[in-house]
Structure formats: structure tokens, C-alpha cells
Amino acid sequence: MTADLATTPTAVGGPDLPQERRLVTEVPGPRSRELAARKEAAVTRAVGTMLPVYTVAAGGGVIVDVDGNSLIDLGSGIAVTTVGNSNPRVAAAVAAQAAAFTHTCFMITPYDGYVEVAEALNRLTPGDHEKRTALFNSGAEAVENAVKIARSHTGRQAVVAFDHGYHGRTNLTMALTAKNMPYKHGFGPFAPEVYRAPMSYPFRDGAGGGQGVDGPTAARRAIEVIEKQVGAPNLAAVVIEPIQGEGGFVVPAPGFLPALADWCRAHGVVFVADEVQTGFARTGDLFACEHEGVVPDLIVTAKGIAGGLPLAAVTGRAEIMDAPHAGGLGGTYGGNPIACAAALAVLETIEADGLVERARAIGELVTARLTALQEQDARIGDVRGRGAMIAVELVRPGTIEPDAALTAQVAAAAHAQGLVVLTCGTFGNVLRLLPPLSIPDHLLTEALDVLAGILEATR
Ligand SMILES: *Cc1c(COP(=O)(O)O)cnc(C)c1O
């Protein structure tokens, strides 16, 4: 039946797709390979594809490709389709908005969808202070704008980011991003006045035991670097992911984020939480900052915000957000009406479907299974993350020496067996799971069985 989908131009996604892993060809199959050859001839090789199966439909917890294979989705794009691909509310909202009008430019003749998204973000983000929001198109663009706002508010220039941090691929966000390959290599010079501080990384700080450096101590270590190498009077903003994404799903030790936020407040530094990957129920809270009661001055969101439509936001304290001159922020497409309609449908779905709780339940199921595997397998150095954002860090047994080759081997085998699983980490040795919250338990369990079998087979 799904084989027919491949030839049907109007393949229908959404939760009604059969929720099954089913391989009818090798992965990628012949039709995907044909498309991959066309891609190679038409698209720059600089834009890579992790698993070149060409999609015709997706929803619930599966992605169906042009060859009729149904793969289990453990990536949600990259943490984007949190409410499920082709979510019915999102699809209906997009269709209705597209039929009404597609664009006017909010800066020319505005529309209420933008205002409604801003109101919702002001209400839902941490802290009950007076807030304002600005909308953009991508995470990187929003991070850049958060820095512009912080500089405008403070009259200072320096920005601090962290080891293993990822904030995007534009010039300023490349400078904020830690990892050279593939994000920065050969693309400099980078934006000036960006400094890097040490992150709290419990697995590596504790030489594998996780006990080495507690959160407050790790914060003092970072603050020492900031005070000695930058100086608070020069510092506009500290930009940090509350749980690092591309850097390896690094969850800082408890107390690290609150201590940093306190220091920022005491020194007039704008504390910017980059929740582009962690936001919108992903971690089992609506925003990851909430886990430790941290209230950021500015919070940057994107990815999970609009079910795959391009949208991003900066939300924060009104006095900071209103610091730039009138007309100082904006862009042609920022807060596109279709993306705004999708975002409102996403927020409605998170609430109506209890997706914050669903993320927690997924986290418990996945963590229990992976922790049990870790007990039998010394190559699993660490199982970490929160909610539906869980990773395993693979190492040489008994050490913290990263095993990137094993990680690549496991990922490749998982792809061949119909799992869309992503890797990450500064050392390339982290397997990360970011399933859509619409995935049924039986697919999650099956995916974990497959992963366990692959780990067993690579021993
Ligand atoms: C993906 C990501 C970005 C960049 O978002 P784009 O939409 O790709 O520009 C920034 N910060 C974090 C934490 C991310 O995960």
C-alpha cells in the first residue's frame, strides 16, 4: 500500500499513516538512489544529507520514502516536528492561512497571527515579568538578533558562549559555535568580540564518574574565565543552551545555570537562553530552563515552534527588548503568516495532547532501556538528556576516550535497518534520540530493540 504512495503525488502524511517499520527495499532504495544522483548534479555537495531516503509522507512516528519503506523517526527533522509530522491541526491551520493570504510583510501591513504568537510566547516563556517578542525565520537569525538587542540595551559589545555550544551557521553564530568541522572550517574571519567559557560537562568533568565538578563549581570556573578574559563591564550577553544540542546533549550539572544567571543579573549582563533545540515540550518541560527555575532575560526559540514551518523568536524582558530604536529589527519574511498559524496550532496541540507529559514518559521509557544496556556494555559511557531528548555517549571501555568510529558504525547500521537516528557531539561519539512526541510506544520499543541488537552485533 505504501508502495503506491510513492507514485501518488498527493501522498498523505499525518498520524493515520500505518505506524510500522517496514522495509521493502534496501535503504536507500533504487528510487531514492536515483534522486540522490540528481541531487548530486543539482545541489552543492556542501549541503549534505545524512540518510538519503527521499520522503513522500511522514507522521506519527514514521517517515515513508519513495521506495515504499516506512522508517521509524527518531530525529523529528532535527527536533522540529515535535507535535508530529503533518500534524492535522498544523496542516489545517497552514491550509486555511494559505487560502486567506500568504504574505504581506509584517512591517508593511501587519496581521494578527504575529501578535497572537508574540502574546503566547510572552505568556508561556519562563518568568511573569513584562515581556516583548520579535519573530524571525531561523534559529541563527534569532540568536543574532538576541545579541543585537543585548548590545543595544547594555551599550557593551562582548558576548560569551560556551565550549561545545552550537548557535547556527551565519557569521555571528558561527563565531558563537564551538566546533570547527563542519560548521566553521574555511569560513572565517568570524565576528569579533565573541569569547568562549568552559561548560559544565559532568561526564567529562568527572573523568567518567560524573562526580568531578559540581554545578556551582563549574559556574565559578566559567565566571573566572569571563572576569579575567573579558570583564563584566564589557560584556553584553552570555548565550547558552540549557541542554546543549549539536555539542552532544550535554546536560550541565545542577546549579550551573542558576549560578551563571545570578552572576549575569548582578553584573548587568543579559542572560540569553538558546532554547532553539530544547524548547516546546521537548525536554519534558515547555522550556528546559524551567527544570531549575532559571528565568532568562532573553529566550531564543525556533525548531519545535511551528511544526516545520520556518519561524523563530526572541522573547524577553520588555525593557531589554525595547532598547533598540524603533524600526531597528525586522526582515522581509520574519513572522510569516503561515508560519504563525502553524505555531498557534503547535501550541494548541502541546496543551490539548498533553505533550509535556508525553515527553516525560518517552524520557522514562528510553532512559530505562538505555541505562539497562549501559550496565551490560562498557562502551556506553553515559546516558543523558531529559524528556524526549536523550543521548548515549560511546567510548572505549573503561575510559572517556570518544569512539566516533563505533558511533558512525551504529548509526549506519540503524539507518540500514530503518531507524532515522542522528549523531552529534564535539567528538562525534554521541547517538541522539529526538523522536516526535506523536510516536507510539511500540515503535519506540522496537527502535530500542533494533539499537540493542546493533550494539550487540558490534561487540
Ligand atoms: C539548530 C540550532 C540553532 C540554529 O537554528 P537554525 O534554524 O538552523 O538557524 C541555534 N541554536 C541551537 C541550540 C540549535 O539547535
Side-chain angles (χ1 to χ4, degrees), residues 436-451:
L437 303 180
S438 53
I439 193 171
D441 278 353
H442 78 269
L443 284 185
L444 264 185
T445 305
E446 183 176 345
L448 291 164
D449 288 346
V450 171
L451 275 180

Side-chain angles (χ1 to χ4, degrees), residues 394-415:
L394 299 176
V395 293
R396 302 203 186 282
T399 74
I400 60 166
E401 201 186 316
D403 197 340
L406 174 65
T407 309
Q409 189 188 352
V410 171
H415 297 165

Side-chain angles (χ1 to χ4, degrees), residues 137-141 143 166-168 241 245-246 274 276-277 302-303:
N137 302 291
S138 73
E141 191 190 357
V143 171
Y166 180 85
H167 301 287
E241 301 155 86
E246 305 298 303
D274 179 346
V276 168
Q277 190 154 155
K303 292 199 167 99

Side-chain angles (χ1 to χ4, degrees), residues 202-221:
F203 177 63
R204 293 191 170 275
D205 281 348
Q211 305 298 319
V213 182
D214 67 19
T217 307
R220 275 197 297 281
R221 180 175 69 183

Side-chain angles (χ1 to χ4, degrees), residues 166-187:
Y166 180 85
H167 301 287
R169 294 173 182 254
T170 60
N171 188 264
L172 176 57
T173 56
M174 275 194 295
L176 292 168
T177 291
K179 194 177 178 179
N180 177 48
M181 274 303 246
Y183 307 120
K184 304 169 75 166
H185 188 71
F187 297 149

